[in-house]
Amino acid sequence: MDAYLQQALGLQNGLVFILSAAALLGIVLGFVTYSIYFQRKILGWMQLRVGPNRVGPFGLLQTVADVLKLLLKEDIIPKAVDKPLFILAPVIAFTPAFAVLAVMPFTENLHFADIGVGLLYYIAVSGITVLGVIMGGWASNNKWALIGAMRSAAQMISYEIPLVMSVVGVVLMTGSLNLIDIVEKQREMGMWFFIPQFLGFVVFIIAQLAELSRTPFDLTEAESELISGYHVEYSGFRWAFFMLTEYVYIFAMASLTTVLFLGGWLPPFEFLAFIPGIIWFGLKFAFIVFFIFWLQATFPRMRVDQLMQMGWKVLLPVALLNILITAVLKTVL
């Protein structure tokens, strides 16, 4: 892919880019479809329920049926909404979620764009999603949707800060914002970064849950208070776009966690290096996804004041402390 990126844009490499993007989109949509099934099975198992088991063998086609139902539902646009913004909001929310995958290295050779500031690109592009959330709440012309959008924006922006701060220690230890370089540094050190950067790792995991609006930080969809928050006026495939955004970000965040703190495609021990790197990446990735779903069955939802206090009074100071400790050790050693 790097060879095509270095060439002038033409018919051949343009076709390669389009087909590659389509293939990645197909993989991501497949992940979303079966991660929802996986989530339902995990919750059923933890809550002593069966979970999906009717549509298809072992219930494997249940999510497919749900997607078809959403696509076939009537597309309702309320009369009083700001129609252009209302239509555009789900697209603005989803596009960055898919765009960040362009710099994600799944193995040393399996990636799309190996740019020197891959981590910075991820952070910058993922922040655009909050505009889609605000746009959807504002355009709905509904006070509950607007309150939900403002609360969602406050949560996402607040937790973006400790999330970014938590990876500064990784950047200091690596000396690079390139995601492949970060994995290679872990190979050189002989340990994954979650060990020397344990404080940063803990802050990153908690902050990413808030960024993803996952339990116990799922206040963006607080149906008991805000009748589903910023997307309350959306239905059918437009509502599905917002849900698709959430699960694509789970794919992206689980991949980023694997690269930054769990050694990416590196095996835990050198004698296991004969196993392909994509297998190791997939196992670590699956563990992170399982962990995210596991918390949904374990923790109750936090109050909004508790959520904001944790972000500003706990996670941010701990992230800054981690940067200080890393900088001092980097200077001394």
Side-chain angles (χ1 to χ4, degrees):
M1 186 61 71
D2 289 339
Y4 289 108
L5 288 170
Q6 293 168 9
Q7 298 173 8
L9 183 61
L11 180 61
Q12 182 181 2
N13 56 1
L15 188 60
V16 169
F17 295 152
I18 292 172
L19 292 176
S20 299
L24 179 60
L25 181 61
I27 293 171
V28 171
L29 292 178
F31 164 80
V32 171
T33 301
Y34 285 100
S35 66
I36 295 173
Y37 171 81
F38 186 49
Q39 174 185 345
R40 289 170 170 174
K41 279 295 188 182
I42 290 173
L43 295 178
W45 169 57
M46 290 186 172
Q47 297 169 354
L48 299 180
R49 295 185 289 108
V50 177
N53 69 337
R54 295 290 183 182
V55 185
F58 307 105
L60 287 170
L61 298 180
Q62 178 63 60
T63 309
V64 176
D66 292 341
V67 171
L68 289 175
K69 179 187 72 173
L70 286 173
L71 293 177
L72 294 173
K73 272 189 171 182
E74 182 181 0
D75 178 28
I76 299 173
I77 300 180
K79 185 177 180 179
V81 303
D82 186 328
K83 192 171 181 179
L85 292 182
F86 187 85
I87 293 172
L88 191 59
V91 179
I92 296 295
F94 169 75
T95 303
F98 183 64
V100 296
L101 298 177
V103 295
M104 193 61 59
F106 302 104
T107 69
E108 192 172 4
N109 300 313
L110 183 57
H111 56 269
F112 287 86
D114 180 18
I115 62 177
V117 290
L119 181 57
L120 182 61
Y121 169 88
Y122 183 102
I123 293 168
V125 172
S126 64
I128 299 173
T129 294
V130 71
L131 296 178
V133 171
I134 295 174
M135 194 182 296
W138 172 264
S140 295
N141 196 23
N142 177 312
K143 62 182 179 180
W144 302 114
L146 181 59
I147 293 171
M150 292 298 100
R151 188 159 76 174
S152 301
Q155 175 178 332
M156 294 169 76
I157 293 171
S158 297
Y159 278 83
E160 187 92 17
I161 297 172
L163 183 78
V164 173
M165 292 293 187
S166 67
V167 302
V168 171
V170 171
V171 175
L172 287 174
M173 293 187 70
T174 307
S176 173
L177 288 165
N178 183 284
L179 294 173
I180 294 179
D181 289 348
I182 290 173
V183 176
E184 290 302 321
K185 185 65 176 180
Q186 294 174 79
R187 187 199 301 273
E188 291 176 18
M189 294 178 58
M191 70 173 71
W192 300 344
F193 276 145
F194 84 91
I195 298 174
Q197 285 292 308
F198 185 73
L199 280 178
F201 177 65
V202 172
V203 172
F204 185 85
I205 290 294
I206 297 173
Q208 80 166 1
L209 289 171
E211 281 289 292
L212 295 170
S213 300
R214 302 296 302 183
T215 307
F217 306 106
D218 55 336
L219 278 82
T220 60
E221 304 167 29
E223 65 281 346
S224 59
E225 308 159 35
L226 296 176
I227 53 172
S228 212
Y230 65 92
H231 52 56
V232 64
E233 298 290 0
Y234 284 87
S235 61
F237 75 95
R238 299 189 198 281
W239 179 86
F241 252 90
F242 281 118
M243 290 299 98
L244 179 63
T245 300
E246 179 180 326
Y247 282 91
V248 172
Y249 265 126
I250 290 177
F251 182 96
M253 274 294 189
S255 299
L256 187 64
T257 307
T258 301
V259 168
L260 293 180
F261 294 101
L262 300 180
W265 54 87
L266 302 179
F269 304 104
E270 279 302 318
F271 70 87
L272 295 173
F274 67 93
I275 300 176
I278 191 64
I279 301 296
W280 290 118
F281 189 98
L283 289 173
K284 298 170 190 177
F285 170 88
F287 173 76
I288 296 297
V289 173
F290 170 77
F291 177 75
I292 291 171
F293 293 157
W294 176 11
L295 295 182
Q296 187 171 348
T298 306
F299 288 103
R301 180 182 294 147
M302 297 179 71
R303 294 199 318 261
V304 65
D305 61 312
Q306 294 172 331
L307 176 135
M308 299 304 288
Q309 286 178 13
M310 174 175 280
W312 290 104
K313 294 183 178 180
V314 179
L315 296 187
L316 183 57
V318 172
L320 291 171
L321 176 64
N322 180 64
I323 295 173
L324 177 63
I325 294 172
T326 304
V328 169
L329 292 177
K330 183 77 173 177
T331 303
V332 173
L333 302 178

